[in-house]
Amino acid sequence: MRVTSVIRSLVLLLTLLASWFLMQTYFQHSWKAISLRSWLGATKKPSSERLPRHKCGNQKSCPQNYFAFKIISGAANVVGPSICFEDLVLMSSVKNNIGRGLNIALVNGTTGQLLKTDAFDMYSGDITKLQTFLQGIKRGTLVLTASYDDAATKMNDKVRAYFTELGSSHVGKLAFRDNWVFLGAKGLLNKSPFEKHIKNDGETNKYDGWPELLEMEGCAPRKMD
Ligand SMILES: *[C@@H]1O[C@H](CO)[C@@H](O)[C@H](O)[C@H]1NC(C)=O
């Protein structure tokens, strides 16, 4: 045999092997997807293979008598915050009901029904508007809060006291351009476990002048009485 024909045979063999390998991988893959979805309609993929979607896009689902929520603070003064509750977006840029400062949604803690949303300018706004809002919250109301840009310049002791009463541990330390997400309730006897706070700190800030955004998801217990 001549050298060129040996090489030619080798190349042919390698090509065949490569094709076989590629075809096999490809078919194994698409076979599974096609056969299980449409051909064998009755055969479902085992649940571990399916990607479950939970309320608000959360990592976990909530047990009965708990409400799923996700609160995302604003990012610097650019991207607005969002508040999701039981898979409903209560506040967001798209809904056009957010603003710089403090964004607050009130929900009936028994029924899960939305009562009210409002945004309060904490940099140059009228702080008495927020005081009146907080004063009017009835027992058994869930309070979902997200900061955007600056939530503290106009903050006063009265407002801090209201939030502390709703279960906040961090509102006392909230300062200029800190980020803060909080879920509390009127009538809580203990501190709320649902709170995150990040300081505006030139050394650690993610953005120029602002810390990184905060994201908090979880399951808030339904109030039963
Ligand atoms: C929640 O809804 C129930 C039933 O409609 C009502 O009785 C209760 O007063 C409401 N609570 C709040 C805090 O809105």
Side-chain angles (χ1 to χ4, degrees):
M1 237 201 274
R2 286 199 317 197
V3 178
T4 46
S5 69
V6 171
I7 289 171
R8 207 174 282 154
S9 311
L10 267 173
V11 168
L12 185 68
L13 187 71
L14 278 171
T15 311
L16 280 172
L17 270 171
S19 315
W20 174 78
F21 181 76
L22 279 173
M23 293 287 268
Q24 208 216 15
T25 337
Y26 175 75
F27 272 106
Q28 243 181 12
H29 206 77
S30 57
W31 209 247
K32 243 191 234 161
I34 294 167
S35 68
L36 286 177
R37 270 198 214 125
S38 47
W39 290 1
L40 309 171
T43 322
K44 286 216 177 101
K45 280 185 180 187
S47 59
S48 61
E49 265 188 59
R50 263 181 283 148
L51 279 177
R53 193 210 168 265
H54 304 298
K55 286 177 182 171
C56 295
N58 289 356
Q59 312 255 321
K60 291 186 196 160
S61 65
C62 294
Q64 247 197 330
N65 289 320
Y66 283 80
F67 297 119
F69 72 87
K70 181 182 286 188
I71 307 175
I72 304 170
S73 77
N77 59 348
V78 178
V79 183
S82 76
I83 296 179
C84 174
F85 186 84
E86 282 291 281
D87 225 12
L88 278 180
V89 176
L90 305 182
M91 301 186 83
S92 72
S93 303
V94 172
K95 289 201 70 131
N96 199 24
N97 61 353
I98 52 129
R100 305 257 171 97
L102 274 184
N103 294 271
I104 308 179
L106 302 183
V107 172
N108 184 314
T110 311
T111 61
Q113 211 170 20
L114 175 66
L115 301 171
K116 214 191 267 187
T117 68
D118 214 337
F120 300 90
D121 183 338
M122 299 297 286
Y123 186 75
S124 54
D126 176 14
I127 193 74
T128 53
K129 200 181 126 202
L130 176 56
Q131 278 171 207
T132 312
F133 181 90
L134 293 172
Q135 204 168 12
I137 297 176
K138 287 194 248 152
R139 281 183 76 84
T141 305
L142 290 174
V143 182
L144 296 84
T145 306
S147 65
Y148 182 22
D149 187 7
D150 171 49
T153 297
K154 286 274 178 124
M155 184 69 83
N156 61 21
D157 287 347
K158 209 162 180 180
V159 168
R160 289 188 207 271
Y162 280 130
F163 277 114
T164 304
E165 198 194 329
L166 296 170
S168 169
S169 317
H170 294 264
V171 72
K173 293 166 283 175
L174 201 67
F176 179 65
R177 285 187 182 172
D178 288 359
N179 273 333
W180 183 47
V181 288
F182 168 65
L183 182 149
K186 181 78 176 231
L188 272 191
L189 297 175
N190 301 307
K191 288 291 163 205
S192 166
F194 306 118
E195 184 170 25
K196 282 186 182 176
H197 172 214
I198 186 166
K199 285 257 159 223
N200 165 23
D201 179 343
E203 295 287 303
T204 55
N205 278 349
K206 173 158 181 183
Y207 308 107
D208 217 14
W210 290 267
E212 67 179 319
L213 66 81
L214 290 176
E215 190 172 336
M216 175 174 70
E217 61 180 60
C219 304
R222 185 191 294 269
K223 189 178 185 293
M224 284 173 294
D225 57 6

